[in-house]
Amino acid sequence: MQNFVVNIFGSEYNIKADRDGEYVLKVAEVVDKKMREISTQYRQPTPVRTAVLACLNLVDESFRKNEAEIEWTRRQVGLLIEKLAKVV
């Protein structure tokens, strides 16, 4: 485990991670960017409320991406099954 210091939404956080520093910084940058985006759009009264909304948005984006990837895979498998059915 390595220790890292990241800055998110104006606050420093000490992070322990088993990943490399570049990865940890990239994750922190995504969180910081989303919190700043939420803060600009919705003007929450506290950083905690901004963080919760940012987390909800990030999880929603992740779920939607996963769903899109699953649907793409289903379509590709369906096309392959159709091609195989024609050959057999």
Side-chain angles (χ1 to χ4, degrees):
M1 286 282 211
Q2 294 181 349
N3 291 319
F4 302 95
V5 177
V6 297
N7 190 300
I8 300 173
F9 204 59
S11 295
E12 285 191 350
Y13 296 91
N14 293 310
I15 307 291
K16 275 190 176 183
D18 58 357
R19 301 295 293 262
D20 64 36
E22 188 175 318
Y23 178 84
V24 173
L25 291 175
K26 186 176 178 181
V27 171
E29 286 174 9
V30 169
V31 174
D32 182 65
K33 181 180 176 185
K34 183 55 75 175
M35 285 188 67
R36 290 181 188 287
E37 179 184 306
I38 293 296
S39 176
T40 300
Q41 288 178 348
Y42 300 107
R43 308 241 187 254
Q44 292 301 306
T46 67
V48 172
R49 290 182 63 90
T50 301
V52 169
L53 288 177
C55 287
L56 288 169
N57 274 259
L58 289 168
V59 171
D60 178 56
E61 290 171 10
S62 176
F63 284 176
R64 288 175 189 261
K65 181 180 178 188
N66 288 342
E67 289 170 359
E69 289 173 355
I70 289 168
E71 185 55 36
W72 180 86
T73 302
R74 283 187 184 135
R75 283 194 302 267
Q76 295 302 310
V77 169
L79 291 172
L80 290 173
I81 289 171
E82 288 175 14
K83 289 179 181 180
L84 284 172
K86 291 177 183 176
V87 174
V88 176

